[in-house]
Amino acid sequence: MLFINQQRALLAGCLSLGAIALSFGGSAEAQTVRPQQLAQVTSVSQLSDVQPTDWWFSALQSLVERYGCIAGYPDGTYRGNRALTRGEFAAGLNACLDRINELIAAGLADKVSREDLATVQRLQEEFAAELAALSGRVDALEAKTAELEANPLGLNATTSKLGFQVTTGIFAASEPGGATNNAIIPYEINVDFDTSFTGEDLFRIRLQAREVSQFDGDPVGFLFGPAVSGAGSDINDDVNLENVFYNFPLFNGRVDATFGLNDTTPGDTFVFGVPFQPLSDFADLPDVVYDGVGDTSLAFTWEAIEDLFFVSYGFGAGDPNDFTDGPASSVFGGGFFAGPTVHAAELAFTPTDTLIVALAGALTARGQAGAPTGFPLFADTDFAAASIGVTWEITPAVIFSGWYARTFVESGGFDDFDDFLAGFAFPDLFIEGADGGVVVGSPDSATANLIADDDGDFPFYAEVYYNFPITDNITITPGVYYITNVDGDDDDIIVGGVQTTFSF
């Protein structure tokens, strides 16, 4: 027994010369490319081409009975007359090693004879290089198999991932002018391909399919729906390329830069954010960017003073693919500079880890008619907007957030308008991972799109929601929001429902 214990480190998995040479007598292709075609046998009689008159018959019989590491082909043959390469021999040696280790681990070391151990030791010394190479290939194969199991599309497990999110629910509304007994079931499906080239950057491609209707008289719509406004606005899409952007650090991480190729706005890089997870689209960031400007953008955020002061700037273009002409229904131009454009900037102050105060502004132009002359980055401004926002974590369980935005309209037939929002979010309310919220405000700019004239009465908005997880991948959000004076005639609308989000 002492002799056997001393041999355990040496026996990474070998057997006698006869066992290995005869048990793996197939071609190199059969051993290295299609090893799964070999099958263990429990009796020599299972091998149709092995006869008692063969000179290796007794050796095979003994090895099957003692070690059980003889393999045959699926057609029941052994092919013992075929030539054996050193690589095939090493493969057989390595396979039979596992069997000896199993016997030792099971306390059956006495079943391994001293003669076989001595033979195996000599073989291991002779074929050390081949065994090392084979071990490396096996380790690489196991690592690749594990990666493919974790990422069936072949994405790098450490730098890439594939994510799915499906948002749906059932919603109903009491519309202006009377109640309705109908309900809708909208949906939005997002597929995100995320990858990183340096470990600190992010490249994302998002595919999206959605069918989201906006109730007649609802000026804000759902948070998971499209950024549209107006009575009866509707999106019914096939699968589309929804979002493409690349976010990357510069200057040792002091600058966070983003290049957005599709459906991105300069404000996407701003520091200020709200903690709400509501049903409505209004309980989000202030919309200081004209809706038509949301395709291509170049933006950055500079950490001017570490953990204290941030400066952000972005330039966006709404129709960058067309040099001179905008959409067929538009009289405005296209291209990166002559189409709809926006310049947006933010100054964010973070005096503590729990407080953010931010000032933001934007200049937006709907575009020129015809090709640009010169470099008209700030030409033909139609909208100007400014906002101030505050988010304060009062305690880990109570967060206050609010903002005020003023939009100055130079054209379009509407007066200037004011939006504001304020509310409280309650993380981990009742259960861990849940989030409740109460929000009030005025969606003045959204309501202005529904009426020809502003009668001076601002609309009032209120929402209550509770977002809670069912599992790590399923979240339920019941909620209701209420908006007054949505069409200038003191009409109200109430929208409520239950939203479900699946993420995996």
Side-chain angles (χ1 to χ4, degrees), residues 377-390:
L377 285 179
F378 293 94
D380 301 322
T381 297
D382 297 298
F383 297 86
S387 69
I388 180 172
V390 177

Side-chain angles (χ1 to χ4, degrees), residues 1 6 33 51 56 79 114 139 150 154 158 167 171 182 195 221 224 325 333 350 402 443 471 473 477 497:
M1 180 65 70
Q6 293 173 342
V33 178
Q51 304 300 324
W56 59 76
R79 308 178 191 178
R114 290 175 179 268
D139 291 343
T158 58
T167 304
F171 306 92
N182 204 356
T195 192
F224 70 93
D325 297 323
T350 56
T471 69
N473 305 102
T477 306

Side-chain angles (χ1 to χ4, degrees), residues 17-27 30-31 38 44 46-51 53-57 59-60 70-73 75-85 88-89:
L17 176 62
I20 297 157
L22 293 173
S23 64
F24 287 84
S27 66
Q31 297 302 321
L38 300 174
V44 179
Q46 295 176 247
L47 303 171
S48 61
D49 59 345
V50 176
Q51 304 300 324
T53 56
D54 294 329
W55 63 268
W56 59 76
F57 179 85
L60 285 178
I70 302 300
Y73 289 91
D75 61 359
T77 62
Y78 184 68
R79 308 178 191 178
N81 287 318
R82 302 189 67 173
L84 183 70
T85 68
E88 293 168 337
F89 189 91

Side-chain angles (χ1 to χ4, degrees), residues 114-415:
R114 290 175 179 268
E115 292 78 7
D116 287 343
L117 289 172
T119 301
V120 164
Q121 182 176 356
R122 292 195 299 271
L123 290 171
Q124 188 178 30
E125 294 171 354
E126 173 67 20
F127 290 87
E130 288 81 2
L131 287 172
L134 179 65
S135 177
R137 290 196 299 269
V138 171
D139 291 343
L141 181 60
E142 290 178 348
K144 185 63 175 178
T145 300
E147 180 179 330
L148 289 174
E149 289 177 349
N151 299 275
L153 294 184
L155 299 176
N156 186 294
T158 58
T159 63
S160 303
K161 66 178 183 178
L162 178 64
F164 297 84
Q165 185 179 75
V166 179
T167 304
T168 185
I170 183 167
F171 306 92
S174 174
E175 301 178 2
T180 178
N181 294 321
N182 204 356
I184 61 172
I185 303 179
Y187 69 84
E188 180 178 273
I189 302 173
N190 293 313
V191 181
D192 289 335
F193 299 88
D194 292 345
T195 192
S196 175
F197 305 108
T198 67
E200 297 180 347
D201 57 345
L202 172 64
F203 179 73
R204 169 172 291 178
I205 298 175
R206 168 172 288 183
L207 301 179
Q208 185 180 89
R210 61 188 178 187
E211 185 171 353
V212 183
S213 296
Q214 193 166 325
F215 288 109
D216 289 343
D218 180 4
V220 296
F222 301 115
L223 180 63
F224 70 93
V228 297
S229 61
S233 296
D234 179 82
I235 291 293
N236 188 347
D237 285 343
D238 295 325
V239 177
N240 292 304
L241 182 63
E242 172 64 16
N243 192 233
V244 179
F245 70 84
Y246 181 53
N247 176 262
F248 53 97
L250 295 172
F251 305 107
N252 296 321
R254 296 294 296 273
V255 173
D256 182 62
T258 297
F259 170 63
L261 187 62
N262 184 46
D263 197 29
T264 57
T265 64
D268 291 342
T269 63
F270 287 178
V271 175
F272 176 72
V274 296
F276 308 120
Q277 302 181 54
L279 295 184
S280 76
D281 188 41
F282 183 65
D284 200 0
L285 298 175
D287 185 10
V288 297
V289 179
Y290 176 63
D291 287 342
V293 185
D295 284 337
T296 299
S297 65
L298 298 170
F300 70 86
T301 294
W302 171 39
E303 189 177 9
I305 301 177
E306 187 173 1
D307 296 329
L308 183 64
F309 191 70
F310 299 82
V311 178
S312 301
Y313 167 77
F315 173 77
D319 189 26
N321 300 316
D322 194 329
F323 176 61
T324 58
D325 297 323
S329 60
S330 173
V331 298
F332 304 111
F336 196 57
F337 300 127
T341 58
V342 62
H343 301 266
E346 180 195 59
L347 303 178
F349 181 54
T350 56
T352 69
D353 293 339
T354 60
L355 178 64
I356 297 176
V357 180
L359 297 173
L363 297 175
T364 304
R366 287 185 293 175
Q368 305 175 63
T373 57
F375 199 67
L377 285 179
F378 293 94
D380 301 322
T381 297
D382 297 298
F383 297 86
S387 69
I388 180 172
V390 177
T391 294
W392 176 28
E393 183 182 305
I394 302 173
T395 72
V398 180
I399 302 175
F400 168 81
S401 187
W403 52 259
Y404 164 78
R406 173 73 170 173
T407 304
F408 307 92
V409 182
E410 298 298 329
S411 62
F414 303 125
D415 293 332

